[in-house]
Amino acid sequence: MRSSSLHGTSSIRELSSISHGRNFKSSFYDSSKHPFARAIPSLSFKSCHFCVRCAVSFRPCIDIHKGKVKQIVGSTLRDSKEDGSTLVTNFESDKSAAEFANLYKKDGLKGGHVIMLGADPLSQAAAIEALRAYPGGLQVGGGINLDNCLSYIDEGASHVIVTSYVFNNGQMDLERLKGLVNVIGKQRLVLDLSCRKKEDKYAIVTDRWQKFTDVYLDEEVLTFLARFADEFLVHGVDVEGKK
């Protein structure tokens, strides 16, 4: 079974290829080998304006839920079952997160995401095993904060991915963002700006995509946040994982 989803990232480091006149870059990988490979259109900033690069690169992803590698419908993820909703899982692998990490290491796929969908002990242990299997090749997200961010870097993560800690109680907490940059550096920070549609705009959502913030994605917000992060990770939550 193959499952894939479209992710948008913005890598501040990739500006040089545009500034030197290389307007097109393309790389392909046989995603049928990797059921959790994701296609990522790359966006870059130049002179505070967006430049859409005509390129698609593939990055792997390891989503971990209760210690298992899964691909779920993002909008069905809940902390509570009081609303009667049920988690919808498209695929659950019998392979461990570390096995996928070793596979991606063997094939030279870098910059993949290890996402803990709930930072329970089983998921944390699985994520750390994956990072140790492919040191420097994977990013990690899920429950990242000022107290634990450096420990994941020490375990082998190239970057940490953060949402809820920075977008706290529905608002952007600039002091928390600056604190993360002071500890690990901008070059190791990815801001997850996953969003859901609200009033014909796209609001950043937190806490496993359940809570809306008052921060909406637009050029001004993205340009400002680019000062603090190496990349952005963006999920379209309303359609994430849907067939």
Side-chain angles (χ1 to χ4, degrees):
M1 177 179 179
R2 180 175 66 183
S3 60
S4 61
S5 57
L6 190 63
H7 280 229
T9 67
S10 171
S11 177
I12 311 305
R13 295 172 299 171
E14 294 176 346
L15 285 173
S16 59
S17 63
I18 293 179
S19 62
H20 286 82
R22 295 193 296 273
N23 295 320
F24 183 85
K25 177 183 177 183
S26 180
S27 60
F28 290 92
Y29 195 84
D30 183 5
S31 60
S32 63
K33 295 181 181 178
H34 306 291
F36 293 92
R38 291 177 170 175
I40 306 175
S42 180
L43 305 179
S44 297
F45 291 95
K46 183 179 181 182
S47 302
C48 297
H49 294 286
F50 290 113
C51 298
V52 178
R53 303 179 68 191
C54 299
V56 174
S57 61
F58 287 92
R59 292 196 189 183
C61 182
I62 304 171
D63 285 345
I64 304 172
H65 183 251
K66 296 184 178 179
K68 299 291 186 179
V69 178
K70 299 180 181 180
Q71 205 284 320
I72 68 170
V73 177
S75 58
T76 67
L77 190 62
R78 296 286 188 276
D79 288 333
S80 171
K81 295 183 179 179
E82 293 179 359
D83 61 358
S85 62
T86 302
L87 179 71
V88 178
T89 301
N90 286 331
F91 180 78
E92 179 175 335
S93 178
D94 57 359
K95 296 183 183 296
S96 69
E99 287 179 277
F100 278 104
N102 278 315
L103 183 64
Y104 301 145
K105 179 181 179 181
K106 177 182 177 182
D107 290 322
L109 289 172
K110 292 186 176 182
H113 315 127
V114 180
I115 304 296
M116 296 173 283
L117 301 173
D120 57 276
L122 288 176
S123 296
Q124 290 174 335
I128 289 173
E129 287 178 1
L131 297 176
R132 290 175 177 174
Y134 191 5
L138 297 168
Q139 305 171 358
V140 67
I144 305 296
N145 56 48
L146 190 65
D147 295 328
N148 64 20
C149 60
L150 194 57
S151 67
Y152 285 105
I153 297 296
D154 291 340
E155 293 289 358
S158 65
H159 297 68
V160 293
I161 304 169
V162 180
T163 306
S164 300
Y165 181 73
V166 169
F167 298 94
N168 183 42
N169 293 323
Q171 297 181 331
M172 185 192 305
D173 192 323
L174 189 56
E175 292 306 311
R176 286 189 172 190
L177 178 56
K178 290 180 178 179
L180 287 169
V181 173
N182 287 337
V183 170
I184 60 171
K186 169 186 172 180
Q187 73 278 6
R188 291 187 178 274
L189 180 61
V190 175
L191 287 177
D192 185 343
L193 307 181
S194 297
C195 54
R196 302 182 77 166
K197 197 168 186 179
K198 182 180 180 182
E199 299 174 353
D200 294 324
K201 296 185 290 185
Y202 288 92
I204 296 171
V205 288
T206 65
D207 299 284
R208 287 156 297 283
W209 303 335
Q210 299 168 82
K211 298 180 181 178
F212 283 92
T213 71
D214 62 2
V215 182
Y216 293 87
L217 289 187
D218 57 28
E219 183 174 353
E220 182 180 1
V221 167
L222 292 173
T223 301
F224 176 77
L225 291 175
R227 297 161 49 191
F228 302 96
D230 192 43
E231 293 182 2
F232 297 147
L233 173 62
V234 180
H235 299 77
V237 175
D238 293 320
V239 296
E240 169 69 14
K242 291 186 177 180
K243 299 179 182 179

